[in-house]
Amino acid sequence: MARSKRELGIRRHWRVRKKIIGTPERPRLSVKFSGRHIHVQFIDDTNGVTLASFSSLQPDVRQTKLKPNIAGAALAGKMAAERALQKKIKIVVFDRGTRKYHGKVKALADAAREAGLQF
């Protein structure tokens, strides 16, 4: 029986997540792209806490009119890395979620690396 895209995405996400665990010393950088927005979180899975976050919905970011394309993802990666560095987060584990590591996801990761994060 054919599975829906959503079911396949959930299976891909769990396949990635069983290998990636965020700790207080090395949190998980989780990336989510919706149709209009970009969300990035730095998560400590051992305590179940979000240490830092970035979203294109936040008031200070909304003025930039950030779009979920490659250019917007690069800018979001840079801004998210700056927020993480303010919270003294330097080393992270990258969680691409259900997406392949190319295009928007790769642009966000490369921009975060250039801004000072280590993967």
Side-chain angles (χ1 to χ4, degrees):
M1 179 160 246
R3 292 193 165 89
S4 69
K5 280 187 174 185
R6 180 165 167 70
E7 289 173 329
L8 293 172
I10 290 169
R11 294 181 107 201
R12 272 192 308 273
H13 186 65
W14 281 108
R15 191 167 49 241
V16 170
R17 284 284 291 118
K18 72 180 177 184
K19 300 173 188 172
I20 297 173
I21 297 170
T23 62
E25 300 82 32
R26 189 172 177 162
R28 176 169 55 99
L29 182 137
S30 176
V31 177
K32 170 74 172 118
F33 290 92
S34 70
R36 292 185 182 179
H37 299 287
I38 301 171
H39 306 279
V40 179
Q41 288 184 321
F42 297 89
I43 303 168
D44 170 13
D45 290 316
T46 55
N47 297 321
V49 169
T50 299
L51 304 174
S53 66
F54 169 84
S55 173
S56 59
L57 284 171
Q58 294 170 334
D60 56 335
V61 181
R62 269 195 108 117
Q63 298 166 357
T64 62
K65 300 202 182 217
L66 195 66
K67 295 189 180 189
N69 55 20
I70 292 176
L75 185 59
K78 181 182 173 217
M79 295 171 98
E82 289 171 359
R83 289 195 182 183
L85 291 171
Q86 287 175 355
K87 300 269 183 159
K88 308 257 192 280
I89 299 171
K90 295 179 183 168
I91 302 173
V92 296
V93 176
F94 190 70
D95 178 10
R96 60 184 171 83
T98 62
R99 298 185 170 263
K100 291 183 181 178
Y101 186 80
H102 71 94
K104 297 187 270 191
V105 176
K106 185 174 188 293
L108 190 139
D110 290 342
R113 278 192 194 101
E114 289 174 12
L117 288 182
Q118 295 176 1
F119 292 28

